[in-house]
Amino acid sequence: MPDKTILSAKDLDFFYGPAQALRHITANIPANQVTAFIGPSGCGKSTFLRTINRMNDLIPIARVTGSLTFHGRDIYAPGVDVTALRRQIGMVFQKPNPFPMSVYDNVAYGPRTHGTCDRAKLDAIVEDSLRAAAIWDEVKDRLKKSALSLSGGQQQRVCIARALAVRPEVLLMDEATSALDPISTAKIEDLILELRERFTIIMVTHNMQQAARISDKTAFFLMGELIEYTATERLFSMPRDKRTEDYITGRFG
Amino acid sequence: MTKRKPAEVSMQILFLLCGLVAVAFVLLITAYLIAAGLPAIRQVGLASFLFGRTWDSTNETDPRFGILPLILTSVYGAAGAIVVGVPIGLLTAIFLAKAAPPRLAGLLRPAVSLLAGIPSVVYGLVGMCVLVPALRAWLNLPAGDSLLAAILVLAVMILPSVIDLSAAALEAVPKEYEEASLALGATEPETWFRVSVPAAKSGIAAAVALGIGRAIGEAMAILMVAGNVANMPSLLRSVRFLTTGIAIEMNYAAPGSLQRQALFSIGLVLFLFIMLINILLSLTVKRGKEV
Amino acid sequence: MARMRWPSPRRGLFNAVLRLLLWLSAALTGGLLVAIVCYVCYRGLPGLSWQFLSSAESILQGTAGILPSIFNTLYVIILSLLIVLPLGVGAAVYLTEYARSRRLTAMIEFAAETLAGIPSMIYALVGVILFCTALGLQKTLLAGSLTLAIMTLPTIVRATQESLKTVPKAYREGALGLGAGKWRMIRTVVLPSSVDGIVTGCILAAGRVVGETAVLMYTAGLSTAMQDFSTIQGLMKASGSTLTVALYVYAKERADFAAAFSVATVLLFLTVLINLAASLAGKCLRRG
């Protein structure tokens, strides 16, 4: 079965003021697979992730050239509604960042923002999302308690549930397990493998083993350039580029 | 081991005394207010002092010292100032902390601190010469000196503290909350109102409490616009607050008279009000820190 | 298929209304300031002559003049700062450098907060009983300054404390490591590097003194005649109105609004000056 491309970058450049953070990125990201971005810190992998849902718009001096398309439509075209885009491309952050509200309100926040007010519908969405994030059993008795009272791993899964509640097609995960303990990390990795059935997942990770364990394709970034991008197995077993090999064998980074 | 030098020890004691001065002043103020305020309350009777509906201190045959109108006026005045001032202040704070282009924020910030620095008599003067005549003309009143005029002046006067504290609280909201909301497809205004404001709510509550304290404590500005008749409060009538009740008679009440003692009793009531608000304020701030 | 357009026109409208509300409120706040300043200047500037600023009022010639009030204001600022400065700085030093007991610190800080929250009318009453009557100072600028010193104490304490907290620990350790005593360390290292906070505190306190009316009206007198500031006796006995009190007297008791607005213009000018000074002091004196 050929991969169906959902996101496609072509000659994408990204600048912070005068500094160029991404150089000529060209890549097709397949739907319903897990794609991992790896590379040393400052290599541009997070920047690229954040251009996909236009979170970099928040930085006044940021500038993008080239094209980045989602279902064939340019994300940076004038007239694109960023809120609708971000609804379709959800994001989970490095540090668990639940709102200082109840678990229920956290998960219901997105649907409410997008106009769902019906109580029964919200209840159903919250339950579905929490189940999908594999946290329902742990929080079903404390939905009204503050999300801040949960453990870090639980908080992160609530954040995943919160992202899933708006029914995105793509889920961006920006080092989503780097602040968690190994057990919570394992749970979230299992979760990612399950979610692959229904969502396209793009994850940034500094943990090569993690990329090797759960991703289908892996992209290696270095100093703002996409050095190598191919099937994960291939990238880790026979890298084409010397720099990739140096990185995965631990010679730098 | 050498012994500590005497100079070191005496300086430490000196600094300790400086620190205790604040405590001493609070105790002194409390003690003096109680000592000066109780005699009249005892003579008039606590119930008829607090709940008496008539204040007629200069009546020679039958003076009355009921401060219910003053208490209610202060409560209504502060409530009115909060109702008018807090929404404008909070919205301005959101603007300042989140929405304003940096240049504009750089202009607005000093404007707010200037607004805070203008002496209250200047607010009173402008209220007296602009607001009062305007109210009389618009509402077709015999006189514009009224609770409404006082509320409007107080609303303007509490604006700076409400803006300052709320904006500081909003700026302290972790960026992660806002990013998470934006990443879910919420717009910026939705994020400010539905995530930032709830996250800053204890700071905003403290701002409101401070505003209430300011409104209850203000004297000069409302002395100039409220008409100062001790009516039961009504929006368009002349009223007298706890503060102005003291201010208006202070300079001609004969020393030692029951009238003068009663003014100190009003002071005691006002002091208790303010202490109550301060305690509420420090509780909200503390609770906000713990969460 | 991607749906990258507004989800609903209602939501777009809602957002536009929220933004509009923010801009309107900010415009109202800024507009109020501009309107007040312009109106006061419009009514006050015409009467603001050199003669008005540089003479006492003369009933014989029928001329107004606020020189005595300007002097009284300056005198009250200087006197109350002289009293409050050592107390306030001392209290702040105790709190940040010496205090060990958390209970005592909490008590002192609570007392300072309480003092900051007490309305000026209460200070007026206390000034009347404590300084005018009990200490027998009567209605004098001295009694007024003493009362204002209590009132501005929290301002000085807080500003100094903030500044002391930012003095790097390394400075303190450096001094102590050289064998300096605590007091010597404070005098030679800590206080000099928190001058900015102390100066800012003084400016803020001066601002409160300039703006204060109620306290001075009942403790310092209403006279608009020139006081004798040349002898100790005169300084002790001087009694009269500061600018704010003069404004009140002109407006409320004599209905001389032209003079009242002229005084208001002077007060606005002083307020702007004090605000500028405060922000400049913060910027310029910050140690590099």
Side-chain angles (χ1 to χ4, degrees):
Chain A
M1 190 179 91
D3 293 341
K4 182 175 171 284
T5 295
I6 185 165
L7 276 156
S8 168
K10 202 168 170 223
D11 278 334
L12 190 80
D13 289 312
F14 184 90
F15 304 86
Y16 288 112
Q20 188 165 5
L22 291 177
R23 293 168 195 276
H24 315 304
I25 305 292
T26 299
N28 290 328
I29 292 170
N32 293 83
Q33 295 200 10
V34 179
T35 304
F37 295 170
I38 61 169
S41 43
C43 67
K45 56 190 192 296
S46 280
T47 306
F48 184 45
L49 194 77
R50 292 166 83 95
T51 54
I52 296 173
N53 67 345
R54 290 185 60 169
M55 285 303 275
N56 286 325
D57 287 14
L58 302 176
I59 305 161
I61 55 166
R63 193 161 54 82
V64 178
T65 62
S67 91
L68 181 60
T69 58
F70 175 52
H71 286 298
R73 287 181 148 204
D74 192 348
I75 286 171
Y76 283 88
V80 168
D81 173 26
V82 180
T83 64
L85 173 78
R86 289 184 187 147
R87 183 183 177 179
Q88 289 162 276
I89 305 180
M91 187 165 203
V92 179
F93 296 82
Q94 179 170 9
K95 218 178 105 208
N97 58 352
F99 301 129
M101 313 170 181
S102 70
V103 172
Y104 184 96
D105 288 337
N106 261 284
V107 181
Y109 179 88
R112 279 182 180 143
T113 298
H114 295 286
T116 309
C117 296
D118 181 64
R119 185 72 206 203
K121 257 192 211 162
L122 278 177
D123 286 351
I125 294 175
V126 169
E127 185 175 340
D128 277 357
S129 310
L130 287 168
R131 278 187 194 284
I135 180 113
W136 172 252
D137 290 330
E138 287 162 67
V139 297
K140 65 178 181 223
D141 301 321
R142 44 209 278 207
L143 291 176
K144 294 287 156 210
K145 291 257 173 66
S146 167
L148 298 178
S149 67
L150 302 175
S151 74
Q154 290 173 324
Q155 287 188 8
Q156 193 63 306
R157 277 177 287 150
V158 168
C159 290
I160 293 174
R162 183 177 64 186
L164 297 180
V166 294
R167 309 270 152 88
E169 291 177 52
V170 179
L171 200 57
L172 308 176
M173 305 185 100
D174 189 358
E175 306 225 21
T177 60
S178 68
L180 304 179
D181 60 279
I183 296 170
S184 304
T185 302
K187 279 190 184 164
I188 288 180
E189 286 183 5
D190 290 345
L191 174 60
I192 291 172
L193 291 173
E194 273 175 42
L195 292 174
R196 178 170 60 175
E197 314 273 310
R198 292 158 58 194
F199 304 96
T200 303
I201 293 170
I202 306 172
M203 53 188 279
V204 162
T205 177
H206 64 262
N207 179 341
M208 270 180 287
Q209 286 72 29
Q210 185 173 57
R213 272 197 302 272
I214 57 176
S215 71
D216 301 295
K217 294 188 84 175
T218 299
F220 172 60
F221 288 79
L222 188 64
M223 294 167 75
E225 280 180 71
L226 178 55
I227 304 296
E228 191 161 350
Y229 172 46
T230 181
T232 301
E233 266 182 48
R234 200 184 151 84
L235 186 121
F236 283 101
S237 57
M238 41 178 140
R240 227 173 348 100
D241 196 290
K242 181 80 174 61
R243 289 166 292 181
T244 315
E245 192 183 337
D246 285 350
Y247 182 69
I248 59 174
T249 53
R251 244 166 266 166
F252 69 88
Chain B
M1 285 300 277
T2 49
K3 254 175 65 181
R4 292 178 68 192
K5 290 185 199 126
E8 291 287 337
V9 178
S10 52
M11 283 318 290
Q12 173 160 10
I13 293 171
L14 200 63
F15 284 126
L16 171 64
L17 288 179
C18 289
L20 289 177
V21 160
V23 182
F25 279 144
V26 171
L27 294 178
L28 205 65
I29 290 172
T30 315
Y32 264 97
L33 277 177
I34 291 174
L38 276 186
I41 294 181
R42 204 172 286 152
Q43 198 168 335
V44 176
L46 182 63
S48 49
F49 181 69
L50 287 181
F51 303 115
R53 301 166 75 88
T54 320
W55 174 270
D56 188 4
S57 60
T58 48
N59 190 319
E60 282 181 16
T61 52
D62 182 23
R64 295 289 190 84
F65 298 96
I67 62 164
L68 188 64
L70 280 58
I71 294 177
L72 289 180
T73 301
S74 278
V75 172
Y76 290 1
I82 292 297
V83 167
V84 179
V86 165
I88 299 171
L90 183 57
L91 288 169
T92 307
I94 299 174
F95 180 81
L96 205 52
K98 306 289 172 192
R103 271 239 182 110
L104 201 53
L107 276 176
L108 195 56
R109 248 168 239 284
V112 172
S113 55
L114 194 54
L115 217 46
I118 294 178
S120 59
V121 277
V122 174
Y123 283 111
L125 181 66
V126 173
M128 199 172 162
C129 294
V130 180
L131 187 62
V132 168
L135 285 180
R136 189 179 55 211
W138 288 339
L139 303 174
N140 236 337
L141 300 173
D145 308 83
S146 57
L147 179 57
L148 180 61
I151 284 176
L152 293 176
V153 170
L154 285 176
V156 176
M157 294 184 70
I158 65 167
L159 264 186
S161 15
V162 173
I163 295 174
D164 239 24
L165 254 68
S166 312
L170 285 165
E171 272 157 12
V173 171
K175 236 182 80 191
E176 290 89 32
Y177 294 163
E178 283 155 17
E179 283 198 332
S181 166
L182 292 169
L184 286 168
T187 61
E188 287 191 315
E190 285 164 358
T191 301
W192 301 326
F193 281 89
R194 296 189 45 206
V195 173
S196 311
V197 169
K201 64 175 186 286
S202 72
I204 293 169
V208 174
L210 187 68
I212 296 174
R214 285 274 149 83
I216 296 229
E218 178 51 40
M220 297 313 291
I222 48 179
L223 186 61
M224 295 166 84
V225 299
N228 307 320
V229 181
N231 289 319
M232 287 301 269
S234 146
L235 208 52
L236 299 178
R237 272 166 70 185
S238 168
V239 289
R240 194 184 278 196
F241 292 76
L242 285 169
T243 48
T244 55
I246 305 169
I248 199 81
E249 295 187 10
M250 192 65 193
N251 264 340
Y252 60 86
S257 64
L258 182 58
Q259 183 195 0
R260 192 176 167 92
Q261 286 174 348
L263 297 183
F264 284 99
S265 307
I266 301 177
L268 182 58
V269 173
L270 176 61
F271 182 66
L272 293 178
F273 256 95
I274 292 290
M275 291 302 280
L276 195 70
I277 293 165
N278 279 359
I279 289 168
L280 287 180
L281 178 74
S282 64
L283 284 183
T284 47
V285 171
K286 235 178 236 158
R287 224 184 37 205
K289 272 183 192 152
E290 277 161 15
V291 167
Chain C
M1 194 46 224
R3 300 152 293 162
M4 291 189 280
R5 58 197 144 72
W6 277 110
S8 78
R10 241 186 73 201
R11 188 165 157 219
L13 184 70
F14 177 66
N15 275 286
V17 169
L18 288 184
R19 260 183 208 278
L20 184 71
L21 276 176
L22 295 181
W23 281 84
L24 277 181
S25 301
L28 185 63
T29 305
L32 266 170
L33 176 73
V34 173
I36 290 172
V37 170
C38 289
Y39 184 77
V40 168
C41 290
Y42 165 73
R43 300 222 19 202
L45 275 179
L48 209 58
S49 62
W50 178 243
Q51 177 263 325
F52 182 78
L53 291 174
S54 67
S55 63
E57 83 171 327
S58 159
I59 295 169
L60 287 178
Q61 295 165 14
T63 56
I66 55 165
L67 189 64
S69 298
I70 294 177
F71 276 132
N72 292 344
T73 307
L74 286 176
Y75 178 59
V76 171
I77 292 176
I78 294 168
L79 192 55
S80 51
L81 279 183
L82 279 180
I83 301 163
V84 73
L85 198 56
L87 288 178
V89 173
V93 167
Y94 182 76
L95 284 174
T96 39
E97 306 293 328
Y98 286 100
R100 293 258 169 68
S101 139
R102 287 187 67 181
R103 253 223 184 118
L104 188 62
T105 315
M107 190 168 80
I108 295 173
E109 282 180 346
F110 178 75
E113 270 169 45
T114 308
L115 286 180
I118 292 177
S120 52
M121 209 53 233
I122 301 280
Y123 280 111
L125 288 179
V126 171
V128 168
I129 345 177
L130 196 58
F131 298 119
C132 301
T133 315
L135 288 187
L137 297 174
Q138 286 163 335
K139 281 193 179 184
T140 53
L141 292 170
L142 177 61
S145 305
L146 283 165
T147 318
L148 289 179
I150 309 181
M151 199 172 107
T152 50
L153 183 66
T155 313
I156 302 276
V157 173
R158 188 166 310 158
T160 310
Q161 230 185 329
E162 291 297 315
S163 182
L164 287 175
K165 278 182 191 157
T166 63
V167 175
K169 217 174 147 195
Y171 289 15
R172 296 194 172 87
E173 285 168 352
L176 291 175
L178 288 171
K182 199 156 196 178
W183 160 235
R184 192 175 153 72
M185 180 246 333
I186 292 167
R187 187 164 47 95
T188 54
V189 177
V190 175
L191 283 181
S193 50
S194 35
V195 171
D196 60 329
I198 298 172
V199 171
T200 309
C202 287
I203 296 170
L204 293 177
R208 282 199 74 179
V209 172
V210 168
E212 183 49 48
T213 318
V215 167
L216 294 165
M217 208 157 100
Y218 302 105
T219 58
L222 300 170
S223 153
T224 50
M226 198 61 174
Q227 301 295 307
D228 169 25
F229 292 117
S230 59
T231 61
I232 300 286
Q233 190 75 7
L235 287 172
M236 295 281 290
K237 286 263 174 338
S239 156
S241 60
T242 59
L243 285 166
T244 45
V245 177
L247 188 161
Y248 180 81
V249 170
Y250 281 126
K252 195 76 180 161
E253 300 193 342
R254 303 198 194 151
D256 181 354
F257 291 115
F261 273 105
S262 295
V263 179
T265 311
V266 174
L267 281 169
L268 278 187
F269 177 73
L270 281 178
T271 310
V272 172
L273 210 64
I274 285 169
N275 275 26
L276 278 181
S279 67
L280 280 182
K283 272 181 209 145
C284 298
L285 293 171
R286 198 148 292 283
R287 50 193 173 271

